[in-house]
Amino acid sequence: MVQAIKWVDEVVPAAPYVTTLETLDKYNCDFCVHGNDITLTVDGRDTYEEVKQAGRYRECKRTQGVSTTDLVGRMLLVTKAHHSSQEMSSEYREYADSFGKCPGGRNPWTGVSQFLQTSQKIIQFASGKEPQPGETVIYVAGAFDLFHIGHVDFLEKTHRLAERPYIIAGLHFDQEVNHYKGKNYPIMNLHERTLSVLACRYVSEVVIGAPYAVTAELLSHFKVDLVCHGKTEIIPDRDGSDPYQEPKRRGIFRQIDSGSNLTTDLIVQRIITNRLEYEARNQKKEAKELAFLEAARQQAAQPLGERDGDF
């Protein structure tokens, strides 16, 4: 998954949890970057302490509202509030409060927050490049919910179909996905799914709120050469018609076998199965982070001569 992100050049498997200068030097890295949340060892030490002291650490502010905790809550509580600006239910609010707090108070990283989409965020993710002469324009469509390795494998296989591919991903509206998937799908709303797909190196452009049926107008507008779909079931349109009947009629439809059996449904099942373990892990992690924050606050409040290491 990480290798498929378009800003990643190399992946080091099984990297040590505590980043050392030795690791940076081994892979010719000038510095190490992390978000402005805390990661700690089992004994409560900052995992980036060594690289910070050497001046080889950089920090990026985390995107407000992007929360694994929130996504897990949507899966467990079967809520649909994330599909629109609906007020969250009392049950979900109770979940959010329980995960966003522990006996010491609220954690700014582990807790639930709201993601707010802006045009600037989309610009940062988008390539901004239009199809060039000689490129093969390939259209794929779907929910792309909880963007995972099954999606990546499909897009990679699709990418290999042409020497110079330009892949356009059509993302269906939340209401459309909910119509054919049911329950509380999609887990991620349209704005969140847009950035997830745009981050993939195999995708050149995203149609935000694409029509469910791949129409002649859509194919002509984007000058589509090929339309691809995975091995998942194709649900008929509301009128019972095949949403891919037009590209099939033109002979430009291809079905792609990603070779992966991972689906969004399977991820949700895993989360539900491991709910208790997840809750315990989350609360333990949060308590550790809050203890670290309190220790740092007390350290900062001490007179200069009383701090550790001052003589």
Side-chain angles (χ1 to χ4, degrees):
M1 276 297 296
V2 176
Q3 186 63 71
I5 297 172
K6 62 186 178 185
W7 300 287
V8 174
D9 298 302
E10 184 180 351
V11 170
V12 178
Y17 184 63
V18 177
T19 304
T20 63
L21 294 175
E22 181 184 2
T23 300
L24 294 188
D25 293 339
K26 181 178 179 181
Y27 296 101
N28 301 312
C29 297
D30 296 304
F31 51 82
C32 171
V33 182
H34 194 262
N36 61 340
D37 54 321
I38 297 173
T39 59
L40 304 170
T41 62
V42 289
D43 57 356
R45 295 180 68 87
D46 184 351
T47 57
Y48 296 98
E49 186 175 48
E50 182 178 331
V51 292
K52 284 179 179 178
Q53 290 176 351
R56 293 173 67 179
Y57 176 83
R58 302 290 186 274
E59 193 167 273
C60 293
K61 185 177 179 181
R62 285 182 55 148
T63 304
Q64 180 70 22
V66 178
S67 165
T68 307
T69 307
D70 185 23
L71 293 177
V72 170
R74 297 175 194 177
M75 297 180 217
L76 295 177
L77 299 178
V78 200
T79 176
K80 293 184 183 180
H82 56 284
H83 293 170
S84 65
S85 56
Q86 291 175 273
E87 186 72 17
M88 67 173 69
S89 67
S90 58
E91 184 183 11
Y92 186 76
R93 190 175 296 281
E94 183 180 341
Y95 163 87
D97 287 343
S98 68
F99 267 101
K101 295 177 183 176
C102 71
R106 176 170 287 277
N107 183 334
W109 300 293
T110 310
V112 174
S113 56
Q114 185 180 8
F115 173 68
L116 300 175
Q117 182 72 283
T118 65
S119 58
Q120 187 59 40
K121 283 197 184 84
I122 295 177
I123 290 170
Q124 289 172 340
F125 278 65
S127 67
K129 297 177 181 178
E130 295 186 351
Q132 299 301 308
E135 289 185 326
T136 302
V137 178
I138 305 175
Y139 182 76
V140 299
F144 291 98
D145 195 15
L146 295 177
F147 195 70
H148 53 73
I149 195 65
H151 296 132
V152 169
D153 289 341
F154 163 71
L155 290 167
E156 183 182 15
K157 291 278 182 67
T158 301
H159 195 267
R160 292 179 190 170
L161 293 177
E163 188 175 336
R164 295 177 58 201
Y166 185 96
I167 296 180
I168 301 174
L171 301 190
H172 300 145
F173 280 117
D174 297 339
Q175 292 78 6
E176 192 68 61
V177 177
N178 189 249
H179 171 73
Y180 64 76
K181 286 279 290 182
K183 299 180 183 178
N184 61 326
Y185 289 106
I187 303 300
M188 297 174 75
N189 65 42
L190 181 60
H191 296 313
E192 295 163 336
R193 291 184 283 124
T194 296
L195 295 191
S196 296
V197 176
L198 278 174
C200 181
R201 66 172 68 249
Y202 305 116
V203 174
S204 303
E205 180 64 287
V206 166
V207 180
I208 304 172
Y212 185 63
V214 182
T215 62
E217 289 79 10
L218 184 147
L219 296 174
S220 299
H221 178 81
F222 292 109
K223 299 179 174 60
V224 176
D225 299 302
L226 205 58
V227 176
C228 296
H229 188 271
K231 288 289 188 179
T232 54
E233 181 187 3
I234 298 176
I235 307 296
D237 204 349
R238 294 171 189 266
D239 61 0
S241 64
D242 181 351
Y244 291 98
Q245 64 181 0
E246 180 60 25
K248 286 179 179 178
R249 187 188 67 79
R250 298 188 184 193
I252 61 171
F253 178 81
R254 300 286 185 277
Q255 194 165 39
I256 306 298
D257 185 355
S258 70
S260 173
N261 62 357
L262 185 63
T263 63
T264 303
D265 291 336
L266 184 56
I267 292 175
V268 173
Q269 288 170 18
R270 289 178 183 177
I271 292 293
I272 292 172
T273 301
N274 293 283
R275 172 175 184 165
L276 296 178
E277 182 180 340
Y278 177 85
E279 288 178 346
R281 181 208 66 87
N282 209 60
Q283 290 168 2
K284 183 178 178 181
K285 178 174 182 285
E286 186 171 39
K288 189 191 296 184
E289 289 170 351
L290 285 166
F292 181 89
L293 281 175
E294 179 59 24
R297 188 190 66 77
Q298 292 179 1
Q299 178 84 349
Q302 285 181 344
L304 191 62
E306 296 181 13
R307 296 183 190 176
D308 293 342
D310 292 328
F311 299 98

